[in-house]
């Protein structure tokens, strides 16, 4: 069953974040992930949620998404993300 990694990210250091944006996608691909949405236009239809940058990545399973998230390949980019953004991250099992 597919697993979806969803990130709601506020970029606080745009210049520093560029290194993350350039390098992280290769780590996603290495774990079979596919970007479904990545920083596109957002329109809130209801409620008071105001995300500024959303990313949705599909993996073959939640387990595979976690393998990527905890992988040595992604680790340096995770550290960059932590320094350049404020993020709220979830993983959800598909139907």
């Amino acid at each position: 069953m597919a697993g979806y990694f969803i990130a709601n990210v506020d970029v606080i250091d745009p210049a520093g974040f560029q290194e993350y944006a350039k390098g992280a996608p290769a780590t996603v691909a290495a774990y079979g992930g596919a970007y479904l949405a990545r920083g596109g236009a957002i329109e809130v239809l209801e409620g008071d949620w105001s995300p500024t940058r959303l990313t949705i990545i599909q993996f073959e399973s939640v387990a595979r998404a976690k393998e990527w998230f905890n992988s040595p390949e992604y680790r340096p980019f995770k550290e960059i993300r932590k320094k350049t953004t404020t993020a709220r991250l979830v993983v959800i099992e598909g139907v």
Side-chain angles (χ1 to χ4, degrees):
M1 187 170 302
Y4 298 90
F5 174 83
I6 303 170
N8 178 16
V9 175
D10 295 318
V11 178
I12 56 175
D13 176 0
F17 185 74
Q18 289 306 309
E19 186 177 351
Y20 176 88
K22 290 177 186 172
T27 69
V28 169
Y31 282 78
Y35 284 91
L36 301 181
R38 185 177 177 202
I42 298 170
E43 179 181 353
V44 176
L45 299 177
E46 192 171 313
D48 61 0
W49 186 28
S50 297
T52 55
R53 181 183 175 86
L54 286 175
T55 299
I56 303 171
I57 306 171
Q58 181 180 12
F59 289 90
E60 67 184 44
S61 65
V62 167
R64 190 66 170 161
K66 289 178 175 181
E67 286 176 28
W68 162 73
F69 187 73
N70 295 308
S71 72
E73 296 89 351
Y74 181 61
R75 187 171 297 119
F77 297 103
K78 185 189 293 188
E79 293 306 315
I80 293 167
R81 181 188 43 77
K82 288 179 178 181
K83 292 177 185 174
T84 62
T85 70
T86 300
R88 288 154 302 281
L89 312 171
V90 299
V91 65
I92 184 171
E93 189 173 273
V95 294

